[in-house]
Structures are given as C-alpha cells and as structure tokens.
Amino acid sequence: METSTPPAVCRLADLPPESLPREKLLRDGRAMLTDEELLALFLRTGMQGCNVLELAGRLKRAAGSLAALGSMEAAEIQKLLPKGIGGAKAATLAAVFELGQRAARENVQRQGIHNAQDVYDLLVGELRYEPQEVMVLLLLDARRTLLRKERIAVGTLTRLLVHPRNVFGPAILHHAAKIIIVHNHPSGNSRPSSQDIELTKALFRAAETLCIPLQDHVIIGASTPERTKPYYSFAEEGTLTC
C-alpha cells in the first residue's frame, strides 16, 4: 500500500516572487506590508498545510488584534497556536514587539510629553492588557520632559484606591514641576467611573495647594464605536477641574 507523503512545510521561498514580503518591503517600503506580511518575516516558516502568511493570519486572529499580540510574553504567544508557534518563533516575536515599544517610549521621553496621545504611546504597552487596574505617576520638569515614572497603586479588576500622598510624595521628593496620572481599565472601556472623577477632583485640589500642577489624568482603554480614541483624557475633555 502506498502512503501519502505529508506536504512540506511552506516557507517564504515557496511563495510566488511577487508575494514575498521581504522583496515587497525592499521594493515598496515597510509601510506597504500588511500586518500578516510583517509577522511572516519573523515567523519565517509555516506549518504542515499552512503557509507562513496563513500562519501569521491565524496568529493575529487568535490574539484578537495586533496590539494584543504585541503585549504578550513569549510563553503567551506560544500558547495561542502551540502546533504552529514554537519557542524560537514566540521569542522572536516577543523581542521584536518589545524593541518597537522601547523605541516608542524612547521617542516620547526624548521629545517630552505634550498631550494625552504621548501618554498613551508611552504606557499602552505596559498597561493596556494588565488584568487589574494599575496607576502610574509621571513626573515632568518645566519643559514637560519625563523625569520619572512610578507605579503608585495596584487595584482589582474594577477598583483602584489611591491617596494623594502616594501622588505628591514622589513629586516633592523628585522636584517635579508638573505631574500626570495614568491608569488602565481592564474592560477596555476608557470612560471614567464616578470614583475616577472624584479622585481627579481631589488630586486637582491638592495640586493647586502644593503648586505642582496636575496636567492630566489619562485612562487607557481601547477604541470603541462610541470612542475612536483608545483613551480618555480629563484635560482634553475639559473635565480636569475641582
């Protein structure tokens, strides 16, 4: 009896020349590649019955989004498709995403933090997929250059308890000229809760008393049909008051 030979693992080299992501990148630039084509460059090979571009698409769908995939550790990436993503591929992807996030953070730190988008770019990789609420304090100098970033509170899925001394103690110690507070909503809904609003008002009053301006309170969530921005900024919304 004849036995069928299983199909060979599909590589980028097995694809038509016009479909090769590497050549497309060199010819047209990196911005012209799809998410799947960029992922394929690092995955390098597919799996039995699935070429590398198909594998990249499966991986992105399994993660839910490219942003979600970019926040995962190697072990988490490997669990998404255990038959197609081994340790080497998972480690490569985790390293690539981490380099990208570090480059974004370095750019923000060098140019300063001037708006809520800068805050989001700085912290989305750290906070967006935290399973519980985390509050981060950003200490700025007079030119809005980042002096220091500190986690000042960790809460539950829905509640975060913060005392003004957790905020202004470090600000005084490190001679900050301005501060920004940031926290995440694990649900993805960035709209502020009543507790968020009350906390912001209390911190705004304390900031005025201590003459250390509270520049913003940013809540990191996700884009929704109702909100195109994946964050809520009290400063941008005009709600940063006492």
Side-chain angles (χ1 to χ4, degrees):
M1 177 182 289
E2 292 183 356
T3 58
S4 59
T5 302
V9 173
C10 294
R11 301 170 300 167
L12 286 178
D14 298 323
L15 300 174
E18 66 273 13
S19 300
L20 293 174
R22 182 188 304 163
E23 281 68 20
K24 184 177 177 180
L25 185 149
L26 292 171
R27 183 181 67 246
D28 303 325
R30 61 188 184 184
M32 299 306 295
L33 272 67
T34 65
D35 293 345
E36 290 77 11
E37 288 171 333
L38 288 169
L39 287 171
L41 284 171
F42 297 101
L43 293 173
R44 298 181 65 84
T45 60
M47 56 185 288
Q48 184 171 315
C50 174
N51 70 45
V52 68
L53 286 170
E54 292 169 341
L55 178 62
R58 289 187 187 184
L59 181 63
K60 182 181 173 182
R61 290 192 296 273
S65 68
L66 188 65
L69 183 62
S71 73
M72 294 179 180
E73 295 290 347
E76 297 174 295
I77 295 174
Q78 194 172 358
K79 289 178 182 177
L80 292 174
L81 295 175
K83 293 184 178 180
I85 305 296
K89 289 181 178 178
T92 298
L93 288 179
V96 167
F97 281 119
E98 178 61 23
L99 275 176
Q101 291 171 6
R102 290 187 185 187
R105 290 195 296 267
E106 183 180 288
N107 186 55
V108 171
Q109 290 172 335
R110 182 176 63 253
Q111 297 185 5
I113 298 176
H114 301 282
N115 51 51
Q117 184 66 54
D118 289 340
V119 174
Y120 179 82
D121 292 342
L122 178 68
L123 292 174
V124 61
E126 177 179 343
L127 296 183
R128 172 63 189 94
Y129 296 97
E130 278 280 355
Q132 55 195 349
E133 290 196 20
V134 176
M135 180 161 283
V136 172
L137 171 66
L138 302 180
L139 305 179
L140 311 178
D141 65 14
R143 296 182 178 180
R144 292 179 176 260
T145 301
L146 181 65
L147 296 173
R148 190 176 181 89
K149 173 175 70 73
E150 290 191 15
R151 286 195 175 201
I152 57 173
V154 177
T156 65
L157 284 171
T158 58
R159 188 169 179 80
L160 184 69
L161 298 177
V162 181
H163 192 279
R165 66 171 169 266
N166 300 127
V167 175
F168 293 101
I172 294 169
L173 178 63
H174 297 287
H175 307 288
K178 312 169 189 291
I179 63 170
I180 296 174
I181 56 172
V182 191
H183 82 280
N184 63 308
H185 280 177
S187 68
N189 181 359
S190 62
R191 298 293 302 184
S193 66
S194 58
Q195 291 90 350
D196 295 332
I197 294 170
E198 290 305 313
L199 172 63
T200 305
K201 290 179 177 179
L203 294 177
F204 188 88
R205 291 192 295 268
E208 286 192 321
T209 300
L210 295 170
C211 297
I212 304 176
L214 174 62
Q215 294 292 292
D216 204 350
H217 179 183
V218 178
I219 302 172
I220 290 178
S223 299
T224 66
E226 294 77 24
R227 290 191 60 80
T228 56
K229 291 182 178 179
Y231 60 82
Y232 180 94
S233 162
F234 280 79
E236 288 184 357
E237 298 291 338
T239 52
L240 189 67
T241 65
C242 57

